[in-house]
Structure formats: structure tokens, C-alpha cells
Amino acid sequence: MTVGGAGEYTLIEDDRAFADLLDRLAGQDRYAIDTEFHRERTYFPHVALVQIADEHGVALVDALSVDLTPFSRILDSDAVAVMHAARQDMEVLERSTGIVPRRLIDTQVAAGFLGYTSPSLSTLLERELKVRALKADRLTDWLRRPLKPAQLDYAAADVAYLLELHDVLWTRLTERGRDQWVLDACEELRTEYRGPRDPDDAWRRIKELRHLRGGTLAVAQAVAGWRERRAIETDQTPRFVLSDLGVVSVASAAPTTIEELRSLRGVDGRSLRGGMGDDLLSVIAASVGSRPQRAPAQTVPELPGELRPAVPLISAWVSQLARELELETSMLATRADLEDLLRGVPEARLTQGWRAELVGEPIRRLLEGEAALAFDRTEGLVLEDRQG
């Protein structure tokens, strides 16, 4: 047991100690968890440390010394995983254990239903618990060993107060009848797709390709797809395989030899090593003269012309409703959400769960003529039952 700036914590550096921790966690109904990882030069995140807290204390698991796979039995249990800003951490857990928590509460999401706008953990700790969080060193190399005491203190602090914070937020959410809203929102987050991106769509993320046309664009699309696949296979960032400028240069010049490749702007030695240059030339040769990919066919109906004028009015009502409910407007409904609903997009967000209750159903009534929006100088926009 070590005592640091965040209180006591245990550093776990072998599988036996980790197994003992898992046995302890198996008897808990909830636990707090966070991760430290790096992905600056890799396609996938590389976990370095896992911080876990339960009613018995904080444990820091050295992911470079411990096999995290057995942790899946805790993640897949009925125990609730309490996390903060969990999206990237869940990607880390899924890659290192094969699954994500079966039950999740994200305190950042929960706080959003109490009037906060994407708050940091330090903000919530200071405002809700009067606890001043330790300052992070953004240049910390979590993959370097041994970890320094200051690093361990900071890591422990990330979970030391999460369960207490969860208690405080949950009490307020329950009092306001918003606990189910949070559960639904956290389930949306938990079930998001976190796999690799589609290589065939990689070209859409390169701004420099927007001005290309015809055969040049076709080559660029093929090269961007090759770059994405190579990045996934070698676990490198796409731009480390070949820069965006390199993709544009290759597409514009359509080189046929290694010498021509090497002379292009944005193409350096690392893009040609280990047979990569020959692979790239093959991709270029196969795509020269082909037609570029077209935009995906429209699978949802267009927004009816007669409903277009309604969008600004409904958006204003949603913004007002968000203020009244002390919710971030984008959490309640974005403009895209509203347009999806009006277009009749299958499984639109506003047709499901708490959003359907608060926004989707009132808008349906409005469109069906069962209700009308009126302006009141005191209350602003008011949704009223329509008479006659």
C-alpha cells in the first residue's frame, strides 16, 4: 500500500496480485475505472495503466506487466462501471480485454443532465465535492518505466473520488426524475461502434482531395484506402504511413517507378521501406484510368419543402426547452436530429427513449396538427393543444 497525493493506493505489477484484485471486485456492485494510454504514433490505443477503485480503495494496474484479459469477467458482470468521459477508455478496454462494461455510468454524461456542458473531472470534483484535483502533466510518458510517484498520484486521483461523485450526482438526478435518461444515454455510449474505420471511406477525411476530379480522384481514393489498410495492419497512424500531402502528390503524378515516388512532395523513406513502395505502385497502376467512387446513394427521404420553414421555429423551441430543463441543447436534440425526424429517417434519435418523450412526441403532435406553437411575452414559445 502506497500513500500519495490522492490517498492510499496499491500498485499491482503481477498476475497473481491482479487475480486477487479481481476476486475482491467480484463481490462489489460497482467500481470506478480509468485508463492511461498512448496512441500518438499508433492506429490503436496502447494501454499503459488501469486505475480501479471500489469501497476498499484504489488499485493501479501496470498494464505492461499484467495480462488484462481476465478483467473481462468483471466488465461482463452485473457490477456498474463508473467512468468519466468514457469513450476512449472503452476503446482501450475493448482492445485489451475483448469487451466493454456491461453496465456503465459516465459521470460526464450524468452531469450533462444537471446543467453542465461537457465538464472535466476536475471541474466536477471542485464544484460537487469541493476537492481540488491534481494537475496533469500532458507530456507524461505512461509507457516508460518505472512510473514516478507523481504520476501514480495523478493516476490514482482519477478514480479516488469517482464513486463519491457518482453518489452525489445520482441523488440529484433521481430527485429530478432523470436517472433513466442517464441510463439510456450511457447505453447509447456503451454500444457505439468502436472498430477500425472503413478504408474505402478514408479519402473523405483528407481535405486536400476535395479539389481533385476524375481519374486523379480515383487514384487518390485508392491510395487513401491502401494507406488506411496499411495503418491498421501495422498499427501506425495513417499519416505516418503516408502523409496527406503524399496522397495528393501520388494521385496527381501517378508515378510508375520507385524513383518517381521518392521525388514527390510528402513521400519519404518510411513510405517506401519493406516493400511498401512496390505495393503502392501496384495500387496506383490498378487505379489509373478508373472512375472515382461516387457519394453513397441517398437512402433517406429528402426533407419535404413544406417542412423546411418549420425547422428554425422548432429549433428555437428545442433551445428554449433545453434552457428550461438545464440541458445542453445538443444533448437534447441537434439540428440534424430534428431534420432526421422530419424526414422520417428510420430509428431517428428523437423517436427513441427519453428524447422521444421530451422532443419527438411533441413535434409529432405539432406536425399532425394536434398542437401549435404560440409566443408568450413571459414564457417565450409555448406548445399548446390545438383547439377546433
Side-chain angles (χ1 to χ4, degrees):
M1 184 73 73
T2 303
V3 178
E8 294 184 340
Y9 57 83
T10 301
L11 179 60
I12 294 179
E13 300 177 280
D14 61 73
D15 292 333
R16 178 61 182 272
F18 187 47
D20 291 340
L21 172 64
L22 296 182
D23 288 341
R24 187 182 89 190
L25 292 172
Q28 305 300 310
D29 59 3
R30 63 174 183 165
Y31 56 94
I33 182 170
D34 187 37
T35 67
E36 303 296 346
F37 59 91
H38 283 280
R39 70 183 314 164
E40 284 79 6
R41 289 198 168 189
T42 60
Y43 193 93
F44 300 101
H46 286 211
V47 61
L49 193 71
V50 178
Q51 306 100 288
I52 303 170
D54 66 356
E55 63 181 22
H56 298 289
V58 175
L60 306 180
V61 182
D62 185 350
L64 302 189
S65 303
V66 173
D67 177 14
L68 296 177
T69 306
F71 191 45
S72 60
R73 73 180 173 104
I74 303 300
L75 296 174
D76 196 34
S77 70
D78 289 332
V80 175
V82 179
M83 308 174 74
H84 184 84
R87 181 170 280 109
Q88 292 190 78
D89 295 304
M90 286 198 295
E91 183 182 358
V92 170
L93 291 173
E94 187 168 50
R95 182 156 177 81
S96 57
T97 70
I99 65 173
V100 296
R102 185 147 59 87
R103 301 180 65 192
L104 169 72
I105 295 295
D106 186 321
T107 53
Q108 186 178 71
V109 172
F113 288 90
L114 294 172
Y116 286 96
T117 302
S118 301
S120 66
L121 179 59
S122 60
T123 295
L124 287 180
L125 292 180
E126 289 184 17
R127 294 187 182 179
E128 298 293 333
L129 302 182
K130 310 304 178 188
V131 171
R132 179 162 295 182
L134 297 176
K135 291 186 177 180
D137 180 358
R138 295 185 178 183
L139 300 180
T140 291
D141 184 355
W142 292 102
L143 295 173
R144 187 173 182 177
R145 295 296 183 272
L147 292 171
K148 299 177 181 178
Q151 292 174 286
L152 297 173
D153 283 350
Y154 168 74
D158 275 348
V159 294
Y161 302 101
L162 261 184
L163 296 181
E164 184 179 353
L165 177 63
H166 172 242
D167 287 336
V168 171
L169 295 178
W170 202 253
T171 296
R172 293 175 58 194
L173 288 163
T174 302
E175 290 173 349
R176 302 186 69 172
R178 299 183 177 186
D179 46 340
Q180 188 59 51
W181 299 359
V182 174
L183 293 175
D184 291 346
C186 288
E187 183 63 9
E188 288 178 12
L189 175 62
R190 193 188 72 85
T191 55
E192 283 181 354
Y193 175 72
R194 285 175 289 274
R197 297 172 300 205
D198 185 351
D200 291 334
D201 287 332
W203 65 275
R204 302 180 191 277
R205 296 186 293 274
I206 304 177
K207 295 180 180 179
E208 291 82 355
L209 300 190
R210 294 175 181 174
H211 68 280
L212 301 183
R213 297 290 184 271
T216 303
L217 177 58
V219 175
Q221 291 170 339
V223 171
W226 168 83
R227 182 181 76 161
E228 192 78 16
R229 292 183 180 90
R230 182 72 183 182
I232 294 172
E233 292 169 0
T234 59
D235 192 19
Q236 301 178 81
T237 60
R239 292 184 183 183
F240 192 78
V241 175
L242 180 65
S243 69
D244 286 357
L245 176 60
V247 175
V248 177
S249 297
V250 167
S252 300
T256 59
T257 67
I258 294 293
E259 289 70 23
E260 290 177 353
L261 258 179
R262 197 185 307 276
S263 68
L264 297 177
R265 291 183 62 196
V267 179
D268 56 30
R270 69 187 180 197
S271 303
L272 307 176
R273 64 192 177 197
M276 288 175 59
D278 292 330
D279 290 344
L280 181 52
L281 288 175
S282 296
V283 170
I284 297 168
S287 59
V288 168
S290 60
R291 293 183 178 181
Q293 298 177 36
R294 294 186 176 184
Q298 187 74 19
T299 58
V300 295
E302 289 287 336
L303 180 63
E306 65 271 18
L307 293 182
R308 292 183 185 278
V311 175
L313 180 62
I314 294 175
S315 296
W317 172 72
V318 168
S319 296
Q320 177 180 294
L321 179 62
R323 290 193 298 271
E324 293 171 353
L325 294 173
E326 295 182 324
L327 294 176
E328 183 181 354
T329 302
S330 62
M331 177 178 288
L332 184 58
T334 64
R335 186 183 179 93
D337 289 334
L338 295 176
E339 293 186 354
D340 283 348
L341 180 66
L342 297 179
R343 288 202 307 261
V345 173
E347 299 184 359
R349 284 212 309 173
L350 299 185
T351 64
Q352 304 174 54
W354 63 277
R355 291 187 181 90
E357 174 187 347
L358 292 176
V359 180
E361 177 58 18
I363 292 177
R364 183 202 66 77
R365 294 178 59 240
L366 186 66
L367 297 179
E368 294 294 329
E370 300 171 7
L373 277 173
F375 178 74
D376 182 276
R377 294 184 63 178
T378 303
E379 300 182 26
L381 290 172
V382 180
L383 191 69
E384 300 176 334
D385 289 334
R386 193 168 185 179
Q387 303 297 324

